[in-house]
Amino acid sequence: MRVLLIDDHELIRQGLSRVFERSGDDEVVGQAGSVAEGLAMAAVLTPDVVVTDLELPDGSGFDVVRRLRAASDTIGLVVLTMHGGDEAVLAALEAGASAFLTKETRGTDVVAAAHRAARSPRAFVAPSLAGAVARGAAGAGARLTRREQQVLQLVAEAEGTAGIARRLYMGESTVKTHLNRIFRKLGVSNRTQALAAAHRLGLLLDHAPSPG
């Protein structure tokens, strides 16, 4: 596996390089200290995996991830950072990263994550992902409007778009707009996922909402 390391701290790059090269099957083909340098080296070296820090002198590791993911679906992209909050985890997922780890992670686990990223670059892995998604969805659930809650309830009763429009006296395009807002707030992409999140968060009632 060919690895490119991007971090503005030389000691961290050197430490990671030794960990990868001790594995026997990996080669660190380059080390960069900035977004610009990292992107330029990635274009020339074509690594299998890029491991990048988030805080870089000329931008963010998310800039690296977004640019490289836009150029390739097959490159592994691992974010390794000191800042492991929910927002950073979800931002890494949205940017197209393959994995998100904090710098407290053992070196062998970083290597293992990089190998997973090389094999499955679009299968996002982060130890704190489940909690981050659940907390994000819980906050989103609290922000659903009354109308959005009504639409979600009717989705749970297996009503289609036309049925929801009829029961709530609104146009089908308006229903679709509400559904898209619900999906976005719950961090999901379809009705099945929305219902799973709604059940988990206790957003559904035992009876249908009244129109109005």
Side-chain angles (χ1 to χ4, degrees), residues 39 42 50 63-73 75 77:
L39 292 174
V50 173
D63 299 325
V64 173
V65 171
R66 280 190 287 266
R67 289 280 297 276
L68 294 181
R69 178 59 68 220
S72 172
D73 280 331
I75 189 171
L77 299 170

Side-chain angles (χ1 to χ4, degrees), residues 197-211:
H199 280 295
R200 186 175 64 250
L201 298 169
L203 300 178
L204 299 175
L205 306 174
D206 294 328
H207 57 278
S210 59

Side-chain angles (χ1 to χ4, degrees), residues 9-144:
H9 291 90
E10 184 179 358
L11 288 177
I12 291 177
R13 296 198 308 266
Q14 291 177 348
L16 284 172
S17 180
R18 287 192 292 270
V19 171
F20 274 103
E21 292 178 349
R22 278 202 301 267
S23 72
D25 298 324
D26 305 321
E27 177 188 6
V28 175
V29 295
Q31 299 183 31
S34 67
V35 172
E37 186 181 12
L39 292 174
M41 293 182 74
V44 173
L45 299 172
T46 61
D48 301 306
V49 176
V50 173
V51 180
T52 182
D53 190 14
L54 273 188
E55 294 190 357
L56 297 167
D58 57 343
S60 165
F62 294 137
D63 299 325
V64 173
V65 171
R66 280 190 287 266
R67 289 280 297 276
L68 294 181
R69 178 59 68 220
S72 172
D73 280 331
T74 60
I75 189 171
L77 299 170
V78 178
V79 174
L80 184 64
T81 178
M82 291 293 294
H83 307 286
D86 290 351
E87 288 187 6
V89 173
L90 297 176
L93 170 62
E94 183 177 351
S98 311
F100 183 99
L101 303 170
T102 68
K103 289 183 177 178
E104 297 174 349
T105 305
R106 293 183 304 177
T108 53
D109 291 335
V110 175
V111 173
H115 278 270
R116 283 195 301 270
R119 292 192 304 268
S120 304
R122 298 310 301 264
F124 183 72
V125 175
S128 58
L129 177 61
V133 171
R135 286 185 290 272
R143 295 194 300 272
L144 290 182

